Amino acid sequence: MIVDTNIVFSALVNKNSKIATLLLRSEQPLLMPKYGFVELFKYKEKICAVSKHSEDEVLELLYELIRHIDFFDENSISAEALQKAWALVKDVDAKDLLFVALTIEMGGLLWTGDKQLRMGLDALGFDAFFLPTDDAG
């Protein structure tokens, strides 16, 4: 399963959430492009402010979460997967190119909280999404 950065953000903001529990207890491999780690670091202060947790608490939880995520080298994504992903995201949300390309490359499911991205991709025939159920976890 490919994890979008916004899912990890959500887990960091509310460490007792269903999302955090699913990430920490997932029995299937969780993947994220290396760029996702940069995004997480970039918004560390915002996460601290929104979550009302100290920086140390956020970093501790981030460490626990990233122990469950394998960061994938974007340079290993095939040109074909990148082209397919670009055709899908260019008019929806170009910032999600690497997440969609990795999903295509791995033949996996994308876990994103971005409803606009899901709706836009779904309209283009891309439906490889992980949607947690109420009884998941």
Side-chain angles (χ1 to χ4, degrees):
M1 176 174 14
I2 291 57
V3 180
D4 196 345
T5 311
N6 59 48
I7 294 297
V8 180
F9 283 164
S10 294
L12 289 169
V13 167
N14 184 355
K15 63 183 179 183
N16 298 315
S17 69
K18 176 181 172 182
I19 289 173
T21 301
L22 286 172
L23 284 172
L24 292 169
R25 294 187 182 163
S26 177
E27 295 184 16
Q28 60 182 302
L30 302 173
L31 296 173
M32 180 182 277
K34 285 183 179 180
Y35 174 73
F37 187 78
V38 173
E39 279 189 310
L40 291 169
F41 189 76
K42 178 179 176 182
Y43 293 106
K44 177 178 51 104
E45 286 80 17
K46 183 176 181 179
I47 293 167
C48 290
V50 172
S51 70
K52 297 183 174 59
H53 296 305
S54 70
E55 183 175 329
D56 285 345
E57 289 173 310
V58 169
L59 290 174
E60 185 177 316
L61 180 57
L62 176 60
Y63 174 71
E64 286 302 314
L65 291 169
I66 65 173
R67 287 182 48 214
H68 292 81
I69 298 172
D70 291 324
F71 289 90
F72 194 89
D73 184 358
E74 296 90 353
N75 294 322
S76 298
I77 300 174
S78 69
E80 181 182 354
L82 287 166
Q83 288 172 342
K84 287 180 182 178
W86 179 248
L88 291 165
V89 302
K90 66 182 179 182
D91 295 324
V92 178
D93 190 346
K95 295 185 311 284
D96 285 303
L97 170 67
L98 294 174
F99 295 92
V100 175
L102 183 56
T103 303
I104 293 168
E105 182 78 17
M106 303 306 291
L109 297 175
L110 176 61
W111 186 9
T112 182
D114 185 337
K115 291 178 183 167
Q116 182 178 347
L117 176 66
R118 272 200 329 256
M119 289 178 4
L121 293 178
D122 193 53
L124 296 170
F126 180 92
D127 62 357
F129 295 106
F130 171 74
L131 300 170
T133 59
D134 288 339
D135 60 344

